[in-house]
Amino acid sequence: MVSPSSPVLPMGVVRGQKNPLHFGFAERLRRARKAVSLTKGGLAIAAGLGRNALYGLESGERIPRVDTVELLADALHVSPCWLAFGVELAWSPAQARRCGEIAQRLRQARTARAVSTRALGRDSGTSDTTVRLTETGETIPSIAKVEAIAVALRVSACWLAFGVGDC
C-alpha cells in the first residue's frame, strides 16, 4: 500500500534516465485531434482506422506502428515525426508512404555501422527477429521499437521511421 507521503509516479515513467520520445504520443494525438475539431470517431474514419483502435491509441493503452502514425498524421495535417516523437517538422501531404522504405533505411544504417542483426536486437532491447523482419519488410514496427533501434544505431528516429530529417 502506498502511504500518503510517498511520491506516486505516472505509469510508464522511466526513473533515472530520459523518457523515450514516443511516450508523449497519446497526448500529442489528443491535442492534434482537438485542434482540428474532430471527434475520435471522426478521426478514425478520416484515417481509415477502427474506432476501438483510435480509442486505445489516444488513451495510451496501445503503441502504434509507424504506418498507423502516418495515416493519423496525414488526416490531422501534422508531421508524422511530431506525432510519433515530438520532433517539430513541417507537414506535407504524403505522395507515398514514407515508412514503406524503413527496411532499406534500417539495412543501410546497420551495415554502415557493421552491426549484426543479433547485436542490434540485443543493443536495442528488441530482438534479432524484430530487426530481421523489419529489414526484410515482413513487418512494420511500432514507434517504440523504431525509437529503440534508432537509439542503438545512433540515428534519428524520424529518419529511420519516415525518411525525414538528418540520419
Side-chain angles (χ1 to χ4, degrees), residues 106 109-111 113-132 135 145 148-154:
L106 175 55
R110 185 183 62 75
T111 55
R113 286 153 182 80
V115 178
S116 70
T117 56
R118 182 170 298 241
L120 181 54
R122 181 189 61 242
D123 293 347
S124 65
T126 59
S127 70
D128 59 315
T129 303
T130 296
V131 174
R132 182 178 43 78
E135 206 171 271
K145 289 182 180 178
I149 292 169
V151 167
L153 285 171
R154 294 181 181 90

Side-chain angles (χ1 to χ4, degrees), residues 55-84:
Y55 281 84
L57 293 171
E58 194 170 299
S59 69
E61 294 173 12
R62 297 175 69 177
I63 298 173
R65 296 183 340 182
V66 292
D67 57 339
T68 302
V69 171
E70 274 194 333
L71 292 171
L72 289 165
D74 287 345
L76 293 166
H77 296 198
V78 298
S79 160
C81 288
W82 175 78
L83 191 56

